[in-house]
Amino acid sequence: MLETPNRRDMPPTSRSDSRCEACPVRQRSLFGVLPADRLDGILRQVDEAEYAAGASIYTTGERRSTVFTLRSGYVKLLRFLPDGQQRIVRLVKPSCTFGLEALVGDTYGHAAVVLERAVVCMIPTTAIDGLRRTTPTLHDQLMRRWQIALEEADVWLTELSTGKAPQRFARLLRRLVDANGVAPLFSREDLGAMLAITPEHASRVVTDFRRNGAISDVTPGRCRCNLAQLSRLAAGDD
């Protein structure tokens, strides 16, 4: 098994007294299909953990009976190359479910590492299995989650691995931008791992985007996007 980052996670905080129905991402989460009265039975089984940036949630090849839902922050899913380099194969955004391999008894196929301070709900597979037998809509939701993960993998293989680096960066920003036109701006090392370029090349691309007005800094780690300019760059019209 290839070496993965050292775990630097923070101890989970029990959510036995939590109110899942009040969760800001609940309607978009795995349990969004469940009515409030069905949540009471699983609250005692779901834990919450807060992780600092750089912390490892799980490692490649690890076997655990836990599925995760991201409440806030960003998590990167990594594969490690034989030469030790890392490639980010997918980003996990708030409300997304990851670690679904645990439901079929497989080891995790990636390393999950926190990009920005994250709050994660940790759901034991036993809780999901019990609900899956009695709640057909949850089974359908799980199938949709698998499909979303497959579609995201396809995007990373096509949009973010083909074309010139500026095209790939513009496509990435368009996928991450929020309703206010703001997107996260990750470290040059992480951008390089996402776009399969060197950190130095990633730094030059970011500088060029600032210079041509495609992005402008809002706060550290956040940029405002010029969507029209990004569309042109994503299409290769530079």
Side-chain angles (χ1 to χ4, degrees):
M1 184 176 65
L2 295 173
E3 184 179 358
T4 51
N6 291 328
R7 186 176 299 246
R8 292 188 286 129
D9 49 2
M10 299 173 65
T13 301
S14 175
R15 298 294 294 172
S16 60
D17 60 346
S18 67
R19 296 283 187 177
C20 285
E21 62 269 23
C23 175
V25 301
R26 186 209 156 204
Q27 294 303 320
R28 294 177 285 128
S29 70
L30 177 62
F31 293 142
V33 296
L34 298 179
D37 60 359
R38 293 297 307 275
L39 290 173
D40 292 340
I42 66 170
L43 291 183
R44 290 186 297 274
Q45 303 177 64
V46 177
D47 284 334
E48 178 187 278
E50 183 174 350
Y51 294 87
S56 172
I57 298 175
Y58 57 76
T59 58
T60 307
E62 184 177 351
R63 187 183 297 277
R64 291 169 65 189
S65 299
T66 307
V67 174
F68 303 86
T69 292
L70 184 63
R71 291 185 59 187
S72 64
Y74 284 91
V75 171
K76 57 184 176 181
L77 300 184
L78 301 174
R79 282 285 180 91
F80 292 86
L81 304 179
D83 61 2
Q85 294 187 62
Q86 67 176 30
R87 285 290 180 265
I88 298 175
V89 297
R90 187 153 58 93
L91 286 184
V92 181
K93 298 180 286 187
S95 80
C96 288
T97 304
F98 59 108
L100 287 166
E101 304 97 310
L103 288 172
V104 292
D106 287 347
T107 58
Y108 296 120
H110 314 93
V113 178
V114 176
L115 273 170
E116 294 183 349
R117 180 173 293 275
V119 177
V120 178
C121 289
M122 303 184 297
I123 311 162
T125 56
T126 52
I128 297 175
D129 288 339
L131 284 170
R132 192 162 44 171
R133 287 191 294 269
T134 60
T135 312
T137 52
L138 182 63
H139 177 78
D140 294 340
Q141 178 77 323
L142 284 169
M143 293 303 99
R144 282 194 287 270
R145 298 281 160 164
W146 279 111
Q147 183 61 35
I148 289 170
L150 288 172
E151 290 172 355
E152 284 292 318
D154 287 344
V155 166
W156 282 83
L157 284 173
T158 53
E159 292 189 10
L160 302 184
S161 298
T162 60
K164 297 179 180 179
Q167 287 178 279
R168 284 177 266 165
F169 183 43
R171 293 167 185 164
L172 174 65
L173 289 175
R174 290 204 306 171
R175 291 190 63 80
L176 297 177
V177 68
D178 64 19
N180 297 314
V182 175
L185 189 58
F186 301 118
S187 72
R188 306 306 180 261
E189 290 76 14
D190 283 323
L191 286 175
M194 292 175 200
L195 305 176
I197 58 178
T198 65
E200 293 76 19
H201 193 177
S203 182
R204 292 195 296 272
V205 171
V206 172
T207 298
D208 289 343
F209 271 52
R210 287 193 178 107
R211 184 181 299 118
N212 64 28
I215 62 173
S216 57
D217 293 320
V218 178
T219 60
R222 288 289 185 277
C223 64
R224 188 169 304 280
C225 299
N226 181 325
L227 296 180
Q229 182 76 331
L230 289 183
S231 294
R232 289 193 292 272
L233 290 165
D237 301 332
D238 52 359

